[in-house]
């Protein structure tokens, strides 16, 4: 059986998280693991997943602990994947997607699917299997209303339209499919803020031509709306912007 310093060193390399299999490989057996849980040296975060000496974990370690509990080909998904990229606030539970039906422990939600191909997954920080941008948006459409989905999509530097269409075609019949279709078909899909979308609606309502470019560089400065032929730039500044300039 390995000495405790070896256990601690392994946990430190794994963001403070250990699996039961890690401990078994180090020579511990079930009873010795139970004794260390009883003594407070180990804390079971999820069934078969432990922290060493304390219960506090970083946000990434919390994701890893849930992912390791789920095992198999599971991936961090839905609002947890969106929050990792900064699109939505961090949810109070960890969302995972798996091909297996599992009874999740407290703090974890498992979304069961028959389709989780490798090209829908990317690995973050070398350990965190996570759905990619397109799959994450489509998954979030199951949980968010259209406005929430639109706000999340606005956080991307560029909406991956072709990839979204391809992934959506691979997942027919998904709950929330209408919201992703609306996102794709919206004539304002490329706008980056609610104010820009309001401007496009204004153009439609009053017969104003749409700008030839949005969020493009003009003379070294980023312009909200550009009418190239007319050599015109329209800046869409909200009330807060003007209040700051007045100070």
């Amino acid at each position: 059986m390995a000495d405790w310093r070896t256990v601690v060193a392994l946990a430190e390399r794994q963001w403070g998280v250990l699996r039961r299999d890690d401990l078994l490989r180090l020579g511990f057996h079930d009873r010795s693991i139970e004794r260390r849980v009883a003594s407070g040296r180990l804390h079971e975060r999820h069934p078969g997943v432990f922290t060493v000496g304390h219960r506090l974990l970083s946000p990434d370690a919390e994701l890893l602990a849930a992912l390791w509990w789920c095992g198999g080909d599971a991936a961090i998904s839905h609002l947890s994947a969106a929050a990792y990229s900064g699109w939505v606030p961090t949810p109070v539970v960890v969302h995972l997607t798996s091909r297996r039906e599992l009874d999740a422990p407290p703090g974890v939600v498992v979304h069961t699917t028959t389709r989780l191909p490798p090209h829908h997954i990317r690995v973050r920080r070398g350990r965190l299997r996570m759905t990619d941008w397109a799959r994450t948006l489509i998954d979030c459409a199951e949980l968010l209303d259209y406005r929430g989905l639109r706000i999340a999509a606005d956080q991307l530097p560029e909406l991956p339209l072709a990839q979204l269409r391809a992934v959506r075609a691979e997942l027919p019949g998904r709950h929330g499919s209408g919201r992703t279709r609306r996102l794709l078909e919206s004539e304002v899909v490329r706008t980056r803020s609610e104010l820009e979308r309001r401007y496009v609606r204004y153009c439609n309502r009053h017969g104003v031509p749409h700008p030839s470019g949005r969020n493009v560089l003009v003379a070294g400065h980023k312009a909200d709306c550009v009418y190239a032929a007319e050599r015109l730039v329209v800046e869409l500044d909200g009330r807060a912007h003007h209040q700051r300039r007045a100070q």
Side-chain angles (χ1 to χ4, degrees):
M1 182 186 302
D3 63 37
W4 196 246
R5 288 175 298 181
T6 302
V7 175
V8 172
L10 177 60
E12 288 176 347
R13 293 196 299 272
Q14 298 180 165
W15 309 345
V17 181
L18 290 172
R19 293 162 288 194
R20 181 177 294 273
D21 286 348
D22 293 328
L23 294 166
L24 295 176
R25 282 193 294 269
L26 291 174
F28 293 83
H29 49 74
D30 288 343
R31 186 169 296 178
S32 62
I33 293 172
E34 291 170 5
R35 285 201 302 267
R36 282 159 179 80
V37 171
S39 69
R41 281 192 149 187
L42 290 174
H43 298 279
E44 193 167 42
R45 184 65 186 87
H46 299 301
V49 181
F50 304 89
T51 63
V52 178
H54 60 82
R55 299 178 185 274
L56 296 177
L57 290 175
S58 69
D60 284 6
E62 287 284 7
L63 295 175
L64 183 64
L67 189 63
W68 277 357
W69 162 79
C70 197
D73 63 352
I76 300 156
S77 64
H78 292 73
L79 298 179
S80 293
Y84 192 87
S85 295
W87 307 347
V88 299
T90 301
V92 296
V93 297
V94 176
H95 290 265
L96 303 172
T97 293
S98 174
R99 288 194 177 95
R100 301 184 296 154
E101 292 188 9
L102 299 167
D103 292 326
V108 179
V109 173
V110 178
H111 304 268
T112 305
T113 185
T114 59
R115 299 181 178 89
L116 190 60
H119 62 274
H120 288 189
I121 306 298
R122 55 180 174 169
V123 179
R124 306 292 291 267
R125 294 195 63 191
R127 299 184 189 276
L128 299 176
R129 284 173 49 84
M130 192 172 299
T131 51
D132 64 12
W133 286 4
R135 176 65 185 257
T136 297
L137 276 175
I138 289 172
D139 286 344
C140 284
E142 296 183 327
L143 306 178
L144 300 174
D145 59 17
Y146 179 73
R147 182 175 181 275
L149 183 66
R150 179 70 251 188
I151 291 172
D154 283 344
Q155 310 311 309
L156 277 72
E158 183 177 353
L159 202 61
L161 297 180
Q163 189 181 1
L164 264 177
R165 292 190 184 97
V167 173
R168 184 174 179 273
E170 295 175 25
L171 303 169
R174 289 285 297 270
H175 179 66
S177 178
R179 287 186 280 276
T180 56
R181 182 181 66 249
R182 182 179 173 188
L183 185 68
L184 285 166
E185 293 177 351
S186 171
E187 62 186 336
V188 295
V189 72
R190 292 184 182 276
T191 63
R192 293 287 320 285
S193 71
E194 176 60 23
L195 189 57
E196 291 176 32
R197 290 193 293 280
R198 289 173 59 188
Y199 178 70
V200 172
R201 290 195 293 270
Y202 174 88
C203 291
N204 292 340
R205 189 161 55 247
H206 296 285
V208 177
H210 284 209
S212 57
R214 301 190 189 107
N215 300 302
V216 296
L217 288 177
V218 176
H221 300 280
K222 193 172 184 180
D224 292 332
C225 299
V226 174
Y227 293 83
E230 293 79 8
R231 300 176 61 82
L232 174 67
V233 168
V234 176
E235 288 297 301
L236 304 175
D237 297 327
R239 179 181 299 173
H241 174 83
H242 288 286
Q243 286 174 339
R244 288 194 301 270
R245 291 188 63 181
Q247 293 175 352

